Short mmCIF file of all heavy atoms in Angstrom, two decimals:
data_model
loop_
_atom_site.label_atom_id
_atom_site.label_comp_id
_atom_site.label_asym_id
_atom_site.label_seq_id
_atom_site.Cartn_x
_atom_site.Cartn_y
_atom_site.Cartn_z
N LYS B 55 2.95 -1.77 -18.73
CA LYS B 55 1.56 -1.99 -18.78
C LYS B 55 0.76 -1.38 -17.62
O LYS B 55 -0.28 -0.81 -17.71
CB LYS B 55 1.25 -3.49 -18.95
CG LYS B 55 1.92 -4.37 -17.88
CD LYS B 55 1.84 -5.82 -18.24
CE LYS B 55 2.23 -6.76 -17.15
NZ LYS B 55 3.60 -6.58 -16.61
N THR B 56 1.37 -1.55 -16.37
CA THR B 56 0.72 -1.04 -15.23
C THR B 56 0.72 0.49 -15.23
O THR B 56 -0.23 1.17 -14.82
CB THR B 56 1.40 -1.56 -13.94
OG1 THR B 56 1.11 -2.97 -13.90
CG2 THR B 56 0.77 -0.94 -12.71
N THR B 57 1.86 1.07 -15.73
CA THR B 57 1.89 2.53 -15.85
C THR B 57 0.83 3.07 -16.74
O THR B 57 0.13 4.05 -16.38
CB THR B 57 3.27 2.96 -16.33
OG1 THR B 57 4.24 2.43 -15.50
CG2 THR B 57 3.40 4.44 -16.40
N LEU B 58 0.61 2.42 -17.81
CA LEU B 58 -0.48 2.85 -18.73
C LEU B 58 -1.85 2.79 -18.04
O LEU B 58 -2.72 3.71 -18.14
CB LEU B 58 -0.48 1.96 -20.02
CG LEU B 58 -1.50 2.30 -21.11
CD1 LEU B 58 -1.35 3.78 -21.48
CD2 LEU B 58 -1.33 1.46 -22.34
N LEU B 59 -2.07 1.72 -17.27
CA LEU B 59 -3.36 1.65 -16.56
C LEU B 59 -3.49 2.76 -15.52
O LEU B 59 -4.53 3.38 -15.38
CB LEU B 59 -3.39 0.26 -15.85
CG LEU B 59 -4.72 -0.18 -15.28
CD1 LEU B 59 -5.54 -0.83 -16.32
CD2 LEU B 59 -4.56 -1.09 -14.08
N ARG B 60 -2.38 3.04 -14.83
CA ARG B 60 -2.43 4.11 -13.83
C ARG B 60 -2.59 5.49 -14.41
O ARG B 60 -3.22 6.36 -13.79
CB ARG B 60 -1.14 4.07 -12.99
CG ARG B 60 -1.06 2.83 -12.07
CD ARG B 60 0.33 2.71 -11.37
NE ARG B 60 0.53 3.84 -10.49
CZ ARG B 60 -0.03 3.93 -9.26
NH1 ARG B 60 -0.77 3.00 -8.78
NH2 ARG B 60 0.26 5.03 -8.55
N LEU B 61 -2.15 5.65 -15.63
CA LEU B 61 -2.34 6.96 -16.36
C LEU B 61 -3.89 7.09 -16.68
O LEU B 61 -4.39 8.18 -16.54
CB LEU B 61 -1.56 6.98 -17.66
CG LEU B 61 -0.05 7.15 -17.51
CD1 LEU B 61 0.54 6.94 -18.94
CD2 LEU B 61 0.27 8.61 -17.08
N ILE B 62 -4.51 6.01 -16.96
CA ILE B 62 -5.97 6.04 -17.34
C ILE B 62 -6.74 6.26 -16.10
O ILE B 62 -7.72 7.00 -16.05
CB ILE B 62 -6.35 4.81 -18.13
CG1 ILE B 62 -5.62 4.73 -19.52
CG2 ILE B 62 -7.84 4.84 -18.35
CD1 ILE B 62 -5.77 3.48 -20.28
N ALA B 63 -6.36 5.63 -14.96
CA ALA B 63 -7.08 5.73 -13.70
C ALA B 63 -6.81 7.14 -13.09
O ALA B 63 -7.63 7.67 -12.36
CB ALA B 63 -6.59 4.71 -12.72
N GLY B 64 -5.67 7.73 -13.39
CA GLY B 64 -5.40 9.08 -12.92
C GLY B 64 -4.41 9.14 -11.76
O GLY B 64 -4.20 10.21 -11.22
N PHE B 65 -3.73 8.04 -11.50
CA PHE B 65 -2.74 8.09 -10.41
C PHE B 65 -1.40 8.58 -10.92
O PHE B 65 -0.54 8.87 -10.09
CB PHE B 65 -2.63 6.65 -9.78
CG PHE B 65 -3.91 6.08 -9.37
CD1 PHE B 65 -4.24 4.75 -9.70
CD2 PHE B 65 -4.79 6.81 -8.64
CE1 PHE B 65 -5.46 4.23 -9.31
CE2 PHE B 65 -6.06 6.28 -8.28
CZ PHE B 65 -6.31 5.03 -8.60
N GLU B 66 -1.20 8.66 -12.15
CA GLU B 66 -0.03 9.27 -12.75
C GLU B 66 -0.45 10.23 -13.91
O GLU B 66 -1.55 10.06 -14.38
CB GLU B 66 0.90 8.17 -13.39
CG GLU B 66 1.30 7.04 -12.43
CD GLU B 66 2.31 7.40 -11.43
OE1 GLU B 66 2.87 8.45 -11.47
OE2 GLU B 66 2.60 6.51 -10.52
N GLN B 67 0.34 11.22 -14.14
CA GLN B 67 0.12 12.17 -15.23
C GLN B 67 0.99 11.77 -16.40
O GLN B 67 2.19 11.57 -16.21
CB GLN B 67 0.44 13.59 -14.77
CG GLN B 67 -0.42 14.05 -13.62
CD GLN B 67 -1.93 13.96 -13.94
OE1 GLN B 67 -2.39 14.43 -14.97
NE2 GLN B 67 -2.67 13.32 -13.05
N PRO B 68 0.44 11.82 -17.67
CA PRO B 68 1.34 11.56 -18.79
C PRO B 68 2.29 12.71 -18.97
O PRO B 68 1.98 13.87 -18.65
CB PRO B 68 0.36 11.45 -19.96
CG PRO B 68 -0.92 12.05 -19.49
CD PRO B 68 -0.93 11.98 -17.99
N THR B 69 3.54 12.35 -19.42
CA THR B 69 4.52 13.36 -19.67
C THR B 69 4.11 14.18 -20.95
O THR B 69 4.14 15.38 -20.97
CB THR B 69 5.89 12.77 -19.90
OG1 THR B 69 6.17 11.96 -18.81
CG2 THR B 69 6.99 13.83 -19.98
N THR B 70 3.71 13.41 -21.99
CA THR B 70 3.07 14.04 -23.16
C THR B 70 1.91 13.24 -23.63
O THR B 70 1.83 12.06 -23.18
CB THR B 70 4.10 14.15 -24.32
OG1 THR B 70 4.54 12.90 -24.63
CG2 THR B 70 5.26 15.05 -24.00
N GLY B 71 1.09 13.78 -24.44
CA GLY B 71 -0.08 13.02 -24.98
C GLY B 71 -1.35 13.24 -24.18
O GLY B 71 -1.35 14.03 -23.17
N GLU B 72 -2.41 12.67 -24.70
CA GLU B 72 -3.73 12.97 -24.15
C GLU B 72 -4.49 11.66 -24.07
O GLU B 72 -4.31 10.74 -24.74
CB GLU B 72 -4.54 13.91 -25.07
CG GLU B 72 -3.91 15.30 -25.19
CD GLU B 72 -4.68 16.10 -26.30
OE1 GLU B 72 -5.63 15.71 -26.81
OE2 GLU B 72 -4.15 17.25 -26.47
N ILE B 73 -5.52 11.67 -23.13
CA ILE B 73 -6.37 10.49 -22.93
C ILE B 73 -7.83 11.03 -23.00
O ILE B 73 -8.11 11.99 -22.24
CB ILE B 73 -6.13 9.77 -21.67
CG1 ILE B 73 -4.69 9.23 -21.57
CG2 ILE B 73 -7.09 8.59 -21.48
CD1 ILE B 73 -4.30 8.73 -20.20
N TRP B 74 -8.62 10.50 -23.89
CA TRP B 74 -9.99 10.90 -24.00
C TRP B 74 -10.93 9.81 -23.75
O TRP B 74 -10.68 8.67 -24.07
CB TRP B 74 -10.25 11.45 -25.44
CG TRP B 74 -9.55 12.75 -25.73
CD1 TRP B 74 -8.25 12.91 -25.94
CD2 TRP B 74 -10.13 14.05 -25.80
NE1 TRP B 74 -7.95 14.29 -26.16
CE2 TRP B 74 -9.07 14.99 -26.03
CE3 TRP B 74 -11.49 14.52 -25.67
CZ2 TRP B 74 -9.32 16.39 -26.20
CZ3 TRP B 74 -11.68 15.92 -25.82
CH2 TRP B 74 -10.60 16.77 -26.07
N MET B 75 -12.09 10.18 -23.20
CA MET B 75 -13.11 9.20 -22.90
C MET B 75 -14.40 9.76 -23.44
O MET B 75 -14.93 10.72 -22.87
CB MET B 75 -13.24 8.88 -21.46
CG MET B 75 -14.21 7.70 -21.25
SD MET B 75 -13.86 7.01 -19.59
CE MET B 75 -15.35 6.14 -19.30
N SER B 76 -14.99 9.17 -24.46
CA SER B 76 -16.19 9.69 -25.14
C SER B 76 -16.26 11.18 -25.11
O SER B 76 -17.12 11.75 -24.36
CB SER B 76 -17.41 9.00 -24.67
OG SER B 76 -17.30 8.65 -23.28
N SER B 77 -15.47 11.84 -25.85
CA SER B 77 -15.43 13.34 -26.06
C SER B 77 -15.16 14.12 -24.75
O SER B 77 -15.51 15.34 -24.70
CB SER B 77 -16.63 13.75 -26.79
OG SER B 77 -17.72 13.85 -25.85
N GLU B 78 -14.67 13.46 -23.76
CA GLU B 78 -14.21 14.22 -22.54
C GLU B 78 -12.78 13.96 -22.28
O GLU B 78 -12.30 12.82 -22.31
CB GLU B 78 -15.04 13.72 -21.33
CG GLU B 78 -14.65 14.46 -20.06
CD GLU B 78 -15.42 13.87 -18.79
OE1 GLU B 78 -15.55 12.62 -18.73
OE2 GLU B 78 -15.81 14.63 -17.93
N ARG B 79 -12.01 15.08 -22.11
CA ARG B 79 -10.56 14.84 -21.87
C ARG B 79 -10.37 14.31 -20.39
O ARG B 79 -10.78 14.91 -19.52
CB ARG B 79 -9.76 16.10 -22.12
CG ARG B 79 -8.32 15.88 -21.98
CD ARG B 79 -7.47 16.82 -22.76
NE ARG B 79 -6.08 16.56 -22.45
CZ ARG B 79 -5.05 17.37 -22.73
NH1 ARG B 79 -5.33 18.56 -23.31
NH2 ARG B 79 -3.86 17.04 -22.45
N LEU B 80 -9.67 13.16 -20.34
CA LEU B 80 -9.58 12.45 -19.04
C LEU B 80 -8.29 12.81 -18.28
O LEU B 80 -8.32 12.96 -17.10
CB LEU B 80 -9.52 11.00 -19.33
CG LEU B 80 -10.19 10.05 -18.27
CD1 LEU B 80 -11.68 10.46 -18.03
CD2 LEU B 80 -10.17 8.61 -18.76
N ASP B 81 -7.20 13.01 -19.04
CA ASP B 81 -5.87 13.14 -18.31
C ASP B 81 -5.70 14.35 -17.51
O ASP B 81 -4.84 14.47 -16.71
CB ASP B 81 -4.78 12.94 -19.35
CG ASP B 81 -4.76 13.94 -20.46
OD1 ASP B 81 -5.70 13.88 -21.25
OD2 ASP B 81 -3.90 14.80 -20.50
#
Side-chain angles (χ1 to χ4, degrees):
Chain B
K55 55 193 192 301
T56 294
T57 303
L58 182 53
L59 193 86
R60 291 174 61 80
L61 287 172
I62 296 170
F65 306 133
E66 307 283 354
Q67 298 302 309
T69 308
T70 58
E72 296 171 5
I73 300 168
W74 289 74
M75 185 159 162
S76 34
S77 75
E78 179 186 39
R79 185 154 175 197
L80 213 57
D81 56 294

